[in-house]
Amino acid sequence: MILLEINNQIVEETLTVKFKNALAGHKHETTDIKIADFDGVLFHVSNPKNDRSKLRVSISLKFYKDLQQHGSDQLLKNIYGNFITEPEDGYSVSLQLDLENIPSNWEELVKKIGLLKRNCFAAVFNKYFDFQERGEEGHQRAVINYRSDETMYVEAKHDRVTVVFSTIFKEEDDIIIGKVFMQEFKEGRRASQTAPQVLFTHRDPPLELLNTNAKVGENIGYITFILFPRHTNRVARDNTINLIHTFRNYLHYHIKCSKVYIHSRMRAKTNEFLKVLNRARPESKITEKKTITGRTFVRRE
Amino acid sequence: MSSTLKPYLTAVRHTLFAAMCVDNFSSQVIERHNKPEVEVRASKELLLTPVIISRNEKEKVLIEASVNSVRISIAIKQADEIEKILCHKFMRFMMMRAENFIILRRSAIPGYDISFLITNFHTEQMFKHKLVEFVLHFMEEIDKEISEMKLAVNARARICSEEFLKRF
């Protein structure tokens, strides 16, 4: 599994089970499930006002205010239509589903609900991709604080869109392994001609962010994606958003996998060394011997 | 580069054989105690001259001997940052398990990456030539292991970035 999934499996499976049960005519059960996703995002599947025939799916993003500024409400309305309701207490967006009136294309709907987090992000990207399409410049860059110390900046120019991720490496070793990964990303053009340009700076923010109060520190890295019209046009847009919005999680997931692999190799090697060392011990002499008639001799050390 | 490896290991082997003539020797300073004199370093007459065998500036072996113990410290080749952290992680991993390893020291001598302490009790329980073989085997395998781990990290990085970027 090299690429991370962008939909939430748990939400999809829960809803599929509920819908199947309802379609098969089983009694509705009470639901109250809290699901965590990347970036501190929480899903909550429950029964609104204890009505077991209705399901409410809510999502809570700590940074939803930043996304709202860029029109995420409108986009979600376009995608989910009548299912949007008043957000539940403490959550950012809620969808309400009626188990009595399940639409015929419920499987498609379940998949769309699984992509709720991705669709929340999509609004920002769509807005800036549109700016680039129309050739407009001079709009303020978007700043989304999607994690407590990490920020995403999106800016549109007439011929490209730049997305900058700031990320924190919690340990020193992570910084070095992260640098190895980013070195390969920078040279990614070798792999595919259509790939966007990727730049990486450690400690200091890149030139685009020069006059902002972007953080500076030993364990901070900035990753810049330069997306060209072939990535931001209508056809390729969705695919681009799918790949870019989870990039930070993808990078850190693979850094952790590398550390796990290294650890298991070290374990194996250490065991091998122990085996070699134990060969240095002489085999213990047999201390007990018996004769044919059955007498036992025990060697005394 | 590897043309210096064989003579280096041969030199280390011969020196270790010569240095590993240890005998039981109770402490002269404290009654009824038996300590490894190379660690205590209290009496000068019990310590032999330390020997450093260098392959180059970065790779060397320090062998300090005494009447009842030998301390062997190894400095491992670390060419770049990733090799440094891999070596550091690996050594720390093993030193935490020093009890299992019997002859390993829990902390390395400053200036070196890992240290062994072999006392007369160890040579009484284990074959001396096998102990020397172990130290040499260790030195060879560490270098190989660190290179392999570095290659694995680089390969993983390349595959991840290719998979990601080719989807655009």
mmCIF file of all heavy atoms in Angstrom, chain B residues 6-30:
data_model
loop_
_atom_site.group_PDB
_atom_site.id
_atom_site.type_symbol
_atom_site.label_atom_id
_atom_site.label_comp_id
_atom_site.label_asym_id
_atom_site.label_seq_id
_atom_site.Cartn_x
_atom_site.Cartn_y
_atom_site.Cartn_z
ATOM 1 N N LYS B 6 41.394 -5.701 3.938
ATOM 2 C CA LYS B 6 42.032 -6.942 4.408
ATOM 3 C C LYS B 6 43.202 -6.695 5.351
ATOM 4 O O LYS B 6 43.237 -7.279 6.434
ATOM 5 C CB LYS B 6 42.493 -7.781 3.205
ATOM 6 C CG LYS B 6 41.465 -8.769 2.790
ATOM 7 C CD LYS B 6 41.742 -10.185 2.575
ATOM 8 C CE LYS B 6 41.016 -11.130 3.463
ATOM 9 N NZ LYS B 6 41.877 -12.085 4.044
ATOM 10 N N PRO B 7 44.151 -5.848 4.974
ATOM 11 C CA PRO B 7 45.260 -5.614 5.908
ATOM 12 C C PRO B 7 44.788 -5.033 7.239
ATOM 13 O O PRO B 7 45.316 -5.368 8.295
ATOM 14 C CB PRO B 7 46.162 -4.603 5.181
ATOM 15 C CG PRO B 7 45.722 -4.601 3.781
ATOM 16 C CD PRO B 7 44.347 -5.147 3.716
ATOM 17 N N TYR B 8 43.769 -4.167 7.168
ATOM 18 C CA TYR B 8 43.209 -3.572 8.389
ATOM 19 C C TYR B 8 42.690 -4.660 9.320
ATOM 20 O O TYR B 8 43.038 -4.719 10.506
ATOM 21 C CB TYR B 8 42.074 -2.618 7.960
ATOM 22 C CG TYR B 8 41.299 -1.944 9.050
ATOM 23 C CD1 TYR B 8 41.911 -1.169 10.023
ATOM 24 C CD2 TYR B 8 39.916 -2.050 9.085
ATOM 25 C CE1 TYR B 8 41.175 -0.522 10.994
ATOM 26 C CE2 TYR B 8 39.169 -1.400 10.049
ATOM 27 C CZ TYR B 8 39.807 -0.640 10.996
ATOM 28 O OH TYR B 8 39.065 0.000 11.950
ATOM 29 N N LEU B 9 41.860 -5.562 8.771
ATOM 30 C CA LEU B 9 41.293 -6.611 9.611
ATOM 31 C C LEU B 9 42.372 -7.572 10.110
ATOM 32 O O LEU B 9 42.308 -8.041 11.252
ATOM 33 C CB LEU B 9 40.218 -7.389 8.840
ATOM 34 C CG LEU B 9 38.961 -6.589 8.501
ATOM 35 C CD1 LEU B 9 38.014 -7.414 7.652
ATOM 36 C CD2 LEU B 9 38.242 -6.139 9.758
ATOM 37 N N THR B 10 43.367 -7.867 9.255
ATOM 38 C CA THR B 10 44.445 -8.755 9.707
ATOM 39 C C THR B 10 45.201 -8.123 10.867
ATOM 40 O O THR B 10 45.510 -8.793 11.859
ATOM 41 C CB THR B 10 45.451 -9.036 8.564
ATOM 42 O OG1 THR B 10 44.746 -9.087 7.354
ATOM 43 C CG2 THR B 10 46.189 -10.332 8.800
ATOM 44 N N ALA B 11 45.493 -6.828 10.732
ATOM 45 C CA ALA B 11 46.206 -6.145 11.826
ATOM 46 C C ALA B 11 45.398 -6.205 13.112
ATOM 47 O O ALA B 11 45.939 -6.479 14.188
ATOM 48 C CB ALA B 11 46.471 -4.688 11.435
ATOM 49 N N VAL B 12 44.061 -5.952 12.991
ATOM 50 C CA VAL B 12 43.222 -5.987 14.192
ATOM 51 C C VAL B 12 43.217 -7.386 14.789
ATOM 52 O O VAL B 12 43.326 -7.563 16.012
ATOM 53 C CB VAL B 12 41.775 -5.533 13.848
ATOM 54 C CG1 VAL B 12 40.889 -5.678 15.049
ATOM 55 C CG2 VAL B 12 41.770 -4.103 13.371
ATOM 56 N N ARG B 13 43.143 -8.392 13.930
ATOM 57 C CA ARG B 13 43.106 -9.765 14.451
ATOM 58 C C ARG B 13 44.359 -10.104 15.234
ATOM 59 O O ARG B 13 44.301 -10.604 16.359
ATOM 60 C CB ARG B 13 42.928 -10.756 13.299
ATOM 61 C CG ARG B 13 43.076 -12.200 13.794
ATOM 62 C CD ARG B 13 42.954 -13.219 12.698
ATOM 63 N NE ARG B 13 41.564 -13.412 12.363
ATOM 64 C CZ ARG B 13 41.078 -13.286 11.155
ATOM 65 N NH1 ARG B 13 41.877 -12.975 10.160
ATOM 66 N NH2 ARG B 13 39.797 -13.452 10.923
ATOM 67 N N HIS B 14 45.522 -9.808 14.643
ATOM 68 C CA HIS B 14 46.779 -10.151 15.332
ATOM 69 C C HIS B 14 46.923 -9.397 16.637
ATOM 70 O O HIS B 14 47.350 -9.950 17.658
ATOM 71 C CB HIS B 14 47.974 -9.868 14.420
ATOM 72 C CG HIS B 14 48.082 -10.831 13.285
ATOM 73 N ND1 HIS B 14 47.940 -12.193 13.458
ATOM 74 C CD2 HIS B 14 48.293 -10.642 11.961
ATOM 75 C CE1 HIS B 14 48.068 -12.802 12.300
ATOM 76 N NE2 HIS B 14 48.285 -11.887 11.367
ATOM 77 N N THR B 15 46.543 -8.102 16.606
ATOM 78 C CA THR B 15 46.672 -7.314 17.839
ATOM 79 C C THR B 15 45.747 -7.847 18.923
ATOM 80 O O THR B 15 46.114 -7.930 20.094
ATOM 81 C CB THR B 15 46.336 -5.841 17.569
ATOM 82 O OG1 THR B 15 46.894 -5.470 16.327
ATOM 83 C CG2 THR B 15 46.851 -4.951 18.669
ATOM 84 N N LEU B 16 44.540 -8.230 18.531
ATOM 85 C CA LEU B 16 43.600 -8.750 19.523
ATOM 86 C C LEU B 16 44.110 -10.047 20.140
ATOM 87 O O LEU B 16 44.022 -10.245 21.353
ATOM 88 C CB LEU B 16 42.236 -9.005 18.875
ATOM 89 C CG LEU B 16 41.310 -7.796 18.771
ATOM 90 C CD1 LEU B 16 40.018 -8.196 18.109
ATOM 91 C CD2 LEU B 16 41.022 -7.221 20.140
ATOM 92 N N PHE B 17 44.631 -10.925 19.298
ATOM 93 C CA PHE B 17 45.180 -12.179 19.814
ATOM 94 C C PHE B 17 46.254 -11.912 20.847
ATOM 95 O O PHE B 17 46.310 -12.542 21.900
ATOM 96 C CB PHE B 17 45.777 -12.998 18.670
ATOM 97 C CG PHE B 17 44.898 -14.113 18.233
ATOM 98 C CD1 PHE B 17 44.459 -14.195 16.926
ATOM 99 C CD2 PHE B 17 44.490 -15.088 19.133
ATOM 100 C CE1 PHE B 17 43.619 -15.221 16.526
ATOM 101 C CE2 PHE B 17 43.661 -16.112 18.743
ATOM 102 C CZ PHE B 17 43.225 -16.180 17.431
ATOM 103 N N ALA B 18 47.118 -10.931 20.504
ATOM 104 C CA ALA B 18 48.221 -10.641 21.431
ATOM 105 C C ALA B 18 47.697 -9.998 22.711
ATOM 106 O O ALA B 18 48.169 -10.284 23.804
ATOM 107 C CB ALA B 18 49.219 -9.705 20.745
ATOM 108 N N ALA B 19 46.701 -9.112 22.575
ATOM 109 C CA ALA B 19 46.238 -8.371 23.748
ATOM 110 C C ALA B 19 45.388 -9.216 24.671
ATOM 111 O O ALA B 19 45.259 -8.916 25.859
ATOM 112 C CB ALA B 19 45.444 -7.155 23.297
ATOM 113 N N MET B 20 44.782 -10.297 24.110
ATOM 114 C CA MET B 20 43.809 -11.011 24.927
ATOM 115 C C MET B 20 44.459 -12.081 25.784
ATOM 116 O O MET B 20 43.997 -13.215 25.812
ATOM 117 C CB MET B 20 42.728 -11.610 24.031
ATOM 118 C CG MET B 20 41.364 -11.425 24.662
ATOM 119 S SD MET B 20 40.054 -12.082 23.653
ATOM 120 C CE MET B 20 39.755 -10.728 22.561
ATOM 121 N N CYS B 21 45.519 -11.717 26.507
ATOM 122 C CA CYS B 21 46.070 -12.681 27.447
ATOM 123 C C CYS B 21 45.744 -12.154 28.825
ATOM 124 O O CYS B 21 46.490 -11.362 29.409
ATOM 125 C CB CYS B 21 47.572 -12.845 27.246
ATOM 126 S SG CYS B 21 48.399 -11.282 27.032
ATOM 127 N N VAL B 22 44.602 -12.547 29.309
ATOM 128 C CA VAL B 22 44.097 -12.009 30.570
ATOM 129 C C VAL B 22 44.019 -13.125 31.599
ATOM 130 O O VAL B 22 43.767 -14.274 31.274
ATOM 131 C CB VAL B 22 42.714 -11.354 30.375
ATOM 132 C CG1 VAL B 22 42.866 -10.036 29.691
ATOM 133 C CG2 VAL B 22 41.790 -12.260 29.614
ATOM 134 N N ASP B 23 44.243 -12.768 32.812
ATOM 135 C CA ASP B 23 44.241 -13.706 33.927
ATOM 136 C C ASP B 23 43.452 -13.133 35.080
ATOM 137 O O ASP B 23 43.288 -11.916 35.171
ATOM 138 C CB ASP B 23 45.677 -13.909 34.408
ATOM 139 C CG ASP B 23 46.137 -15.305 34.128
ATOM 140 O OD1 ASP B 23 45.258 -16.193 33.979
ATOM 141 O OD2 ASP B 23 47.352 -15.513 34.056
ATOM 142 N N ASN B 24 43.037 -13.979 35.966
ATOM 143 C CA ASN B 24 42.306 -13.485 37.116
ATOM 144 C C ASN B 24 43.245 -12.651 37.995
ATOM 145 O O ASN B 24 44.384 -13.017 38.225
ATOM 146 C CB ASN B 24 41.771 -14.687 37.917
ATOM 147 C CG ASN B 24 40.798 -14.239 38.978
ATOM 148 O OD1 ASN B 24 40.385 -13.083 38.991
ATOM 149 N ND2 ASN B 24 40.458 -15.131 39.886
ATOM 150 N N PHE B 25 42.775 -11.506 38.423
ATOM 151 C CA PHE B 25 43.610 -10.627 39.259
ATOM 152 C C PHE B 25 42.681 -9.846 40.172
ATOM 153 O O PHE B 25 41.956 -8.969 39.718
ATOM 154 C CB PHE B 25 44.405 -9.687 38.350
ATOM 155 C CG PHE B 25 45.522 -8.983 39.058
ATOM 156 C CD1 PHE B 25 46.782 -9.582 39.151
ATOM 157 C CD2 PHE B 25 45.326 -7.735 39.636
ATOM 158 C CE1 PHE B 25 47.822 -8.930 39.794
ATOM 159 C CE2 PHE B 25 46.360 -7.088 40.274
ATOM 160 C CZ PHE B 25 47.620 -7.681 40.355
ATOM 161 N N SER B 26 42.721 -10.135 41.455
ATOM 162 C CA SER B 26 41.830 -9.424 42.376
ATOM 163 C C SER B 26 42.316 -8.006 42.564
ATOM 164 O O SER B 26 43.478 -7.687 42.330
ATOM 165 C CB SER B 26 41.815 -10.123 43.725
ATOM 166 O OG SER B 26 41.609 -11.485 43.553
ATOM 167 N N SER B 27 41.430 -7.149 43.000
ATOM 168 C CA SER B 27 41.777 -5.733 43.141
ATOM 169 C C SER B 27 42.852 -5.558 44.193
ATOM 170 O O SER B 27 42.787 -6.131 45.275
ATOM 171 C CB SER B 27 40.527 -4.955 43.523
ATOM 172 O OG SER B 27 40.871 -3.648 43.863
ATOM 173 N N GLN B 28 43.860 -4.713 43.864
ATOM 174 C CA GLN B 28 44.933 -4.464 44.824
ATOM 175 C C GLN B 28 44.506 -3.426 45.837
ATOM 176 O O GLN B 28 45.063 -3.317 46.922
ATOM 177 C CB GLN B 28 46.168 -3.919 44.098
ATOM 178 C CG GLN B 28 46.786 -4.908 43.162
ATOM 179 C CD GLN B 28 48.022 -4.314 42.519
ATOM 180 O OE1 GLN B 28 49.015 -4.991 42.334
ATOM 181 N NE2 GLN B 28 47.955 -3.049 42.167
ATOM 182 N N VAL B 29 43.524 -2.622 45.468
ATOM 183 C CA VAL B 29 43.186 -1.456 46.275
ATOM 184 C C VAL B 29 42.107 -1.777 47.306
ATOM 185 O O VAL B 29 42.128 -1.274 48.408
ATOM 186 C CB VAL B 29 42.696 -0.299 45.357
ATOM 187 C CG1 VAL B 29 42.904 1.000 46.053
ATOM 188 C CG2 VAL B 29 43.431 -0.328 44.046
ATOM 189 N N ILE B 30 41.149 -2.601 46.883
ATOM 190 C CA ILE B 30 40.028 -2.899 47.783
ATOM 191 C C ILE B 30 40.003 -4.394 48.057
ATOM 192 O O ILE B 30 40.018 -5.219 47.126
ATOM 193 C CB ILE B 30 38.692 -2.478 47.142
ATOM 194 C CG1 ILE B 30 38.766 -1.019 46.693
ATOM 195 C CG2 ILE B 30 37.551 -2.679 48.119
ATOM 196 C CD1 ILE B 30 37.584 -0.584 45.880
#
